[in-house]
Amino acid sequence: MPLTLTRPELIRSANFISGAWTTTPTARLAVTDPATGDVITHVPDSGAAEARAALDAAHAAFPAWRKLPARQRAAIIKRWNDLVLQHQDDLGKLISREQGKPLAEGRGEVAYAASYIEWFGEEATRVNGEIIPAPMPGRRMFALKEPVGVVAAITPWNFPAAMIARKIAPALAAGCTVVCKPAEDTPLTSLALVLLAQEAGVPAGVLNIVTASREKTPEVVDVWLDDGRVRKITFTGSTPVGKHLARRSADTLKKLSLELGGNAPFIVFDDADVDAAVEGFMAAKFRNGGQTCVCPNRVFVQRGVFDAFAHKLAARVAALTVGPASNPASQIGPMINDRAVEKIERHVRDAIAKGAKVLTGGQRLPELGPTYFAPTVLTGADPTMACACEETFGPVAPLTVFDDETAVIQAANDTPFGLAAYFYSRDVRRIWRVAEQLETGIVGINEGAISSEAAPFGGVKESGYGREGSTHGLDDYLHTKYVCQGQLD
Ligand code: SIN
């Protein structure tokens, strides 16, 4: 089915460097619909030359952009937000087509992305420093906040609009310039967002984007890693890649924000409202078909409510409608690619081989296409299973029964990852006890939908560092300069 937009020119097939759309190199990368494998369009398969040109442009544009009064930068970012919202339908269609999420979720992601752009447009005018009371006479001491410089943003495929928005909007608000490499699976949404940023008045060179295949991406990123003019890398993706970026950034000591893999526990205590826990779990787990870093990956349910929770959950999950984004009834779309479905299938097979039982789902849905997997609930999950140790990144809920609060906290923390955790309880003392002991950057208590532009999103341990959203998300693009003036007595 052709992709029909109200503004067809939002479908870009070029890099954007120094304020111009450029189709070099001639090598092309096919962008496909994950539901069918059909080619939507082609974009440049860029390499070192394009990465360098983008960086040269961002470096040249930095002095003027950082000097622009914050209110003028804010006005441009706010115009960008308005344009994104005006094009919500088109952008939602673009997201759904290249990423596979149902159309309602695609439109929802546009609103979510815009919330970050609006937030950071507002925050741009509130980058305050400090006046420090000098501990000796005749001096004045100040802490100034300054933009870090050129930022390289490397963004994932699961939220092609929101992840770009929450990296680029704070960078622009802080006065940084940007080079961006979007995920190879979903470059079209990012290119459309950059077109709207251009229309909003972002000056030439301030925001540059180059597309590249999985094979060529290291060539692009290596240019940025090696060059001392890039002062910050912001990345959302896997922990192994995050570690690689951290190692390679060491030579030029770049600032880093790394939003990496998760292995979120979801704990339901005996004193929980079971219906609320089921609803919270549905919201947390099945958003984007289970392809989010904060999706619950391990589900611990206390013995007293285990049967009630498991059966209510299985009924809700079995009723989910799986299908292509083009069907308005779809609630779960295709997975992003073959590798993703293979991993999900491997996790489910491994769990079953080690004794897990399938309450619902458990297999691919070949009648829909090669990238569909049935939403699945398993019982009898244990820590030896791959689904307990690795992020499944798909619509699979492995349930484990537990008896003891201390033991379940230990089990929840028994992972190198620490992005999000969730639990349901109505005991206020337990709520604080558990929240304080969970080793994660984010905790949802009696709530499954935790993400917000006003909140600091990010992890601890091997889930990375840095925060996105909130005032912390702006601070990550600033450094502090101490200024001391003497001879004032
Ligand atoms: C992610 O999966 O990386 C982001 C999810 C969110 O923003 O809620």
Side-chain angles (χ1 to χ4, degrees):
M1 191 191 294
L3 176 59
T4 319
L5 302 185
T6 311
R7 269 194 77 191
E9 64 273 26
L10 282 174
I11 305 173
R12 311 303 294 178
S13 300
N15 287 329
F16 187 70
I17 299 175
S18 198
W21 293 94
T22 150
T23 46
T24 53
T26 45
R28 308 301 277 167
L29 162 68
V31 186
T32 57
D33 177 343
T36 58
D38 293 348
V39 174
I40 307 166
T41 187
H42 291 82
V43 294
D45 193 5
S46 314
E50 292 72 35
R52 210 164 289 117
L55 173 53
D56 289 345
H59 184 250
F62 177 60
W65 182 246
R66 69 172 292 187
K67 258 203 227 143
L68 202 65
R71 194 157 283 286
Q72 289 180 35
R73 285 202 305 270
I76 293 172
I77 297 168
K78 284 185 194 158
R79 270 201 301 277
W80 187 26
N81 173 56
D82 293 344
L83 286 171
V84 169
L85 287 174
Q86 275 166 31
H87 293 87
Q88 183 173 12
D89 278 345
D90 275 354
L91 291 170
K93 280 187 194 163
L94 209 45
I95 293 172
S96 291
R97 181 57 67 91
E98 66 173 346
Q99 198 273 330
K101 66 183 64 171
L103 201 49
E105 274 197 60
R107 292 184 87 255
E109 187 187 333
V110 179
Y112 182 46
S115 73
Y116 284 98
I117 301 175
E118 182 182 37
W119 172 272
F120 287 113
E122 291 163 350
E123 286 298 295
T125 57
R126 297 185 198 120
V127 178
N128 302 323
E130 289 167 45
I131 301 169
I132 303 158
M136 63 284 288
R139 289 202 191 173
R140 297 291 182 272
M141 294 162 67
F142 307 89
L144 309 184
K145 293 283 184 183
E146 296 189 332
V148 293
V150 176
V151 172
I154 304 163
T155 61
W157 51 263
N158 61 343
F159 289 89
M163 298 303 106
I164 288 265
R166 75 186 191 195
K167 293 178 188 317
I168 291 179
L172 299 184
C176 299
T177 55
V178 179
V179 291
C180 175
K181 209 294 295 172
E184 53 284 351
D185 293 302
T186 56
L188 299 180
T189 307
S190 358
L191 293 171
L193 287 175
V194 168
L195 174 72
L196 296 177
Q198 180 192 18
E199 291 175 356
V202 172
V206 169
L207 175 53
N208 307 275
I209 185 162
V210 296
T211 55
S213 62
R214 197 175 307 279
E215 294 70 34
K216 293 278 277 190
T217 290
E219 201 183 299
V220 169
V221 175
D222 278 353
V223 168
W224 298 341
L225 284 166
D226 288 338
D227 198 312
R229 293 177 298 168
V230 173
R231 294 314 315 147
K232 177 183 169 94
I233 303 267
T234 173
F235 169 71
T236 296
S238 75
T239 294
V241 174
K243 288 181 180 177
H244 169 76
L245 295 174
R247 273 186 216 106
R248 289 281 277 98
S249 292
D251 280 345
T252 49
L253 283 180
K254 299 181 200 309
K255 195 169 168 126
L256 286 160
S257 290
L258 301 174
E259 204 262 271
L260 309 177
N263 187 4
F266 188 102
I267 307 169
V268 186
F269 288 101
D270 278 346
D271 57 54
D273 174 338
V274 172
D275 291 323
V278 169
E279 288 318 304
F281 184 79
M282 294 300 292
K285 177 73 215 183
F286 293 102
R287 176 173 170 234
N288 198 19
Q291 301 172 109
T292 85
C293 302
V294 287
C295 272
N297 203 51
R298 298 167 293 152
V299 193
F300 301 99
V301 188
Q302 206 161 8
R303 196 170 299 278
V305 292
F306 186 87
D307 287 344
F309 180 85
H311 288 106
K312 286 179 183 202
L313 180 66
R316 287 282 277 112
V317 172
L320 287 170
T321 304
V322 185
S326 54
N327 175 0
S330 297
Q331 293 167 295
I332 305 282
M335 300 295 104
I336 188 69
N337 54 34
D338 292 340
R339 282 179 299 122
V341 198
E342 279 155 20
K343 182 179 190 190
I344 297 165
E345 190 171 44
R346 174 169 65 77
H347 280 194
V348 170
R349 285 206 179 134
D350 169 76
I352 293 170
K354 290 177 177 156
K357 297 276 172 288
V358 178
L359 279 192
T360 186
Q363 75 287 318
R364 288 179 186 243
L365 297 171
E367 65 281 16
L368 291 174
T371 47
Y372 288 92
F373 201 91
T376 296
V377 179
L378 303 173
T379 57
D382 72 45
T384 66
M385 296 174 181
C387 62
C389 316
E390 298 168 30
E391 199 175 21
T392 303
F393 233 62
V396 179
L399 273 49
T400 304
V401 68
F402 77 91
D403 292 298
D404 175 64
E405 180 185 302
T406 306
V408 81
I409 293 170
Q410 215 164 42
N413 289 338
D414 186 18
T415 167
F417 301 102
L419 185 54
Y422 306 81
F423 66 93
Y424 275 69
S425 166
R426 284 184 283 203
D427 175 340
V428 74
R429 279 174 301 177
R430 163 175 278 161
I431 282 176
W432 284 104
R433 218 168 38 231
V434 175
E436 285 170 5
Q437 289 182 80
L438 287 169
E439 297 169 356
T440 56
I442 304 169
V443 179
I445 305 166
N446 298 331
E447 182 56 67
I450 47 170
S451 301
S452 162
E453 77 285 1
F457 187 106
V460 298
K461 294 160 72 178
E462 294 189 22
S463 290
Y465 37 73
R467 292 294 178 267
E468 296 189 323
S470 79
T471 52
H472 303 278
L474 184 59
D475 216 45
D476 267 21
Y477 293 84
L478 297 163
H479 61 225
T480 304
K481 180 184 278 177
Y482 160 50
V483 174
C484 176
Q485 187 175 0
Q487 305 294 318
L488 291 173
D489 46 354

